Every structure is written in C-alpha cells, then in structure tokens.
C-alpha cells in the first residue's frame, strides 16, 4: 500500500474559493501537496464521482469539502470513498451557514463526515495534516511545532 501524501480541497463553487483559501495555504505551509477542485455535488455529480473513486489509488490521504447552503458535497464524497472526509460548512445565503452546517454534520450512521466549524477551513487542513501525521513522523513534528505557538512564553502567561 502506498503511503498517502496528498490532500484534496474540493468546493462546491468558484464563489467558495476565498473561504476555502485558508485550507489551501495551511496545507501548503506544512509542505503537503494539495489539489484544489471546484466541483459541485449537484451540478457536477459525475465528475465528483470520477475524482473521488480513484482518490485513494491516486495517493490522497484525506479529502476536504467546503460548500454552502444545501451543502451535500462532503456527504456525497464520503458516500463514495472510505478515505477520511472533512466537511467545511460555508456561510452565505440566507441562513449564515447554519444550513450548510446541518447539511454537512448530520450524516447517517455508516458514512461519517468530520465536520469543522462554519468557515473553519484552516482547522480542516490541520485535521487533514493530523491524519497524514499518523504515518508521517516528519509531519507530526511539524504539527508539534505549530502547536507550540499556543504555549505561553512564561508560566502563568495570558493564553
Ligand atoms: C453551494 O452553493 C456552493 O458551495 C456555494 O457555497 C453556494 C452558492 O454557489 P454559487 O451559486 O455561487 O455557484 O453549492
């Protein structure tokens, strides 16, 4: 089995790009090879399937999916792969992202989506990195280094 090194960042629309940018930049900061795909569960379902069904064989270790409104992208992706799928509900539309949050997080038993906060693209990337770090000691060390920034410089310091 090949060790996965790549992470896909999928999003339902080009209009999601700015909100998903922190996922792409965070992955890049950690030296993770990232592939960005604008594909909608509703508008491009065949293309979503084509990409997702070969993702494991293509070396991906996790798939991040951002979508707003009736956000079915993460669930539709998770339905077609056993790779870890991380959903990012995006704000926008009339309900401020709560619609996307519910659509993304409320998955039926058997088909999980690890859902981060509304517009939580950076955390989605960090979770994907943590997944890669299970089998990549160098990546685990980079995560430790990243986390060290939250440690107060002096005991009793403000956190
Ligand atoms: C969702 O609908 C997309 O993920 C996007 O957040 C929202 C609006 O898409 P556009 O109409 O701007 O393409 O599927």
């Amino acid at each position: 089995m090949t060790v996965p090194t790549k992470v896909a960042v999928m999003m339902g629309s080009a209009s999601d790009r700015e909100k998903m940018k922190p996922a792409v930049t965070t992955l890049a900061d950690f030296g993770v090879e990232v592939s960005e795909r604008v594909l909608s569960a509703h508008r491009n379902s065949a293309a979503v399937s084509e990409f997702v069904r070969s993702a494991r064989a293509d070396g991906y270790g996790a798939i991040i999916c951002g979508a707003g409104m009736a956000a079915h992208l993460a669930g539709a992706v998770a339905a077609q792969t056993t790779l870890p799928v991380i959903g990012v509900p995006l704000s926008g539309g009339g309900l401020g992202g709560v619609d996307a949050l519910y659509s993304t997080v409320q998955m039926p038993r058997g088909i999980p989506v690890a859902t981060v906060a509304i517009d939580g693209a950076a955390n989605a990337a960090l979770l994907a990195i943590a997944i890669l770090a299970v089998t990549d000691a160098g990546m685990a060390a980079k995560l430790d280094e990243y986390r060290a920034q939250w440690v107060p410089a002096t005991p009793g310091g403000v956190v």
Side-chain angles (χ1 to χ4, degrees):
M1 185 186 127
T2 51
V3 177
T5 55
K6 296 192 281 185
V7 171
V9 176
M10 302 179 73
M11 61 202 83
S13 168
S15 67
D16 297 328
R17 223 174 214 134
E18 271 309 300
K19 289 183 179 124
M20 291 305 290
K21 205 170 168 183
V24 175
T25 55
T26 302
L27 289 162
D29 286 348
F30 276 78
V32 175
E33 188 179 336
V34 51
S35 169
E36 197 179 332
R37 310 268 158 152
V38 177
L39 289 173
S40 160
H42 306 116
R43 295 166 175 159
N44 321 106
S45 55
V48 170
S49 296
E50 193 184 334
F51 174 70
V52 170
R53 286 176 181 274
S54 65
R56 185 184 291 277
D58 292 340
Y60 291 94
I63 301 177
I64 295 171
C65 298
M69 299 170 70
H72 295 123
L73 183 59
V77 167
Q80 301 181 75
T81 181
T82 53
L83 284 173
V85 176
I86 303 165
V88 187
L90 298 178
S91 59
L95 301 178
V98 174
D99 42 2
L101 172 63
Y102 287 170
S103 305
T104 305
V105 78
Q106 290 286 59
M107 289 297 292
R109 182 174 56 189
I111 315 291
V113 167
T115 306
V116 296
I118 295 169
D119 294 338
N123 263 2
L126 290 167
L127 188 51
I129 290 161
I131 290 165
L132 296 183
V134 171
T135 52
D136 182 337
M139 202 60 75
K142 283 185 195 173
L143 262 182
D144 284 342
E145 202 179 306
Y146 174 85
R147 287 282 182 98
Q149 78 180 291
W150 308 119
V151 176
T154 52
V158 177
V159 283

